[in-house]
Amino acid sequence: MKIGILGTGRMGVRLAIMYSEAGHEVVLGSRHPARAAGIAEKLDHPLLTGGGYRGALEAPVVLPAIFIRDGLLDQLEDMRDRLAGKILIDITNPFNDDYSDFVTPWTTSGAEQIAARLPRTRVVGAFKNVWWEVFDAPDFGGRRSDVYVVSDDDEARTEVIRLGAGTPFRHLDAGALVNARTVERMTLLSGELGTRYGFFPRMNYTLLGEPWTPGQADHTVGPLIA
């Protein structure tokens, strides 16, 4: 699969490396093509090339690595026709300038706002819960980090999970796009907790659990929800 990444910041470059190492052709795009080309040349991976946004937008899967506070929504609206029918992987959290809060209300999410602006685009939220530092060392004592994948397009959500094969992360089907509200807020919480306990930004969520069957343990009263 060919993936076009818009943006050469710390998330965009790390995702470009991750996907190319997983065997996907990646075009790293920048408003300044020479910058992206230079980064790709230094990384020296056969499946990774750098250039402008135009080349990245030719891919069937596009991943913008741009903050909403930096004008992502307006930039994407200018690309509306070129993004029609494509899968767009939204990784953004709507942080304010000092990362203390969001610029969106509780009743929506960054992913939903993108979907509203681009009704012909297949929007999938992913990597919203992953801080940039985790890409450099995603293994936590032998336990893989999770990526929560959300979308109202079941096939697109499945495709993004499939693209995660061969990456260091475990990709989980997290349901509908509305669940991006929860995932984004979980990231805001992890930032606060990580700062308080000295983990920031090396931290992530991992879903823990094991199968439960009725009568498995006599001393339990069973699941809270039947």
Side-chain angles (χ1 to χ4, degrees):
M1 180 64 75
K2 187 174 183 179
I3 302 170
I5 294 179
L6 308 178
T8 53
R10 55 194 174 195
M11 286 291 285
V13 171
R14 284 169 168 82
L15 283 159
I17 294 170
M18 183 198 75
Y19 276 126
S20 60
E21 289 182 345
H24 301 293
E25 184 181 352
V26 178
V27 179
L28 182 63
S30 172
R31 288 175 295 178
H32 308 287
R35 170 178 167 79
I39 292 172
E41 184 178 358
K42 289 180 180 178
L43 293 173
D44 192 26
H45 194 286
L47 293 177
L48 175 60
T49 58
Y53 281 176
R54 180 179 296 275
L57 285 167
E58 293 176 357
V61 178
V62 176
L63 189 157
I66 306 166
F67 280 113
I68 286 180
R69 68 174 185 243
D70 293 333
L72 171 63
L73 296 177
D74 290 338
Q75 291 184 57
L76 290 179
E77 193 153 345
D78 290 340
M79 304 170 185
R80 179 196 294 258
D81 291 339
R82 301 199 66 184
L83 290 169
K86 296 180 184 289
I87 293 175
L88 185 147
I89 303 177
D90 168 39
I91 69 166
T92 63
N93 287 298
F95 287 112
N96 60 13
D97 288 339
D98 64 5
Y99 294 84
S100 63
D101 204 348
F102 283 169
V103 297
T104 52
W106 284 80
T107 53
T108 187
S109 65
E112 290 171 282
Q113 291 200 349
I114 291 173
R117 293 281 193 111
L118 304 174
R120 294 180 293 156
T121 301
R122 307 167 72 190
V123 177
V124 180
F127 298 103
K128 290 176 173 288
N129 62 291
V130 186
W131 293 87
W132 70 89
E133 184 78 10
V134 179
F135 286 91
D136 298 334
D139 185 277
F140 287 78
R143 180 174 292 152
R144 287 198 298 168
S145 298
D146 286 341
V147 173
Y148 302 127
V149 185
V150 297
S151 182
D152 290 336
D153 186 319
D154 293 343
E155 291 183 1
R157 185 170 64 243
T158 299
E159 180 65 17
V160 171
I161 293 171
R162 187 190 69 79
L163 289 174
T167 72
F169 296 94
R170 182 176 68 163
H171 288 61
L172 298 181
D173 185 335
L177 199 65
V178 68
N179 290 338
R181 301 178 190 181
T182 301
V183 178
E184 291 176 5
R185 292 287 171 178
M186 286 170 63
T187 308
L188 188 63
L189 176 62
S190 72
E192 179 181 337
L193 292 174
T195 300
R196 181 173 300 126
Y197 291 104
F199 301 143
F200 184 85
R202 179 158 168 68
M203 57 205 177
N204 196 25
Y205 287 102
T206 297
L207 180 67
L208 300 178
E210 54 187 27
W212 185 91
T213 56
Q216 179 176 340
D218 293 336
H219 63 276
T220 64
V221 296
L224 296 177
I225 300 176

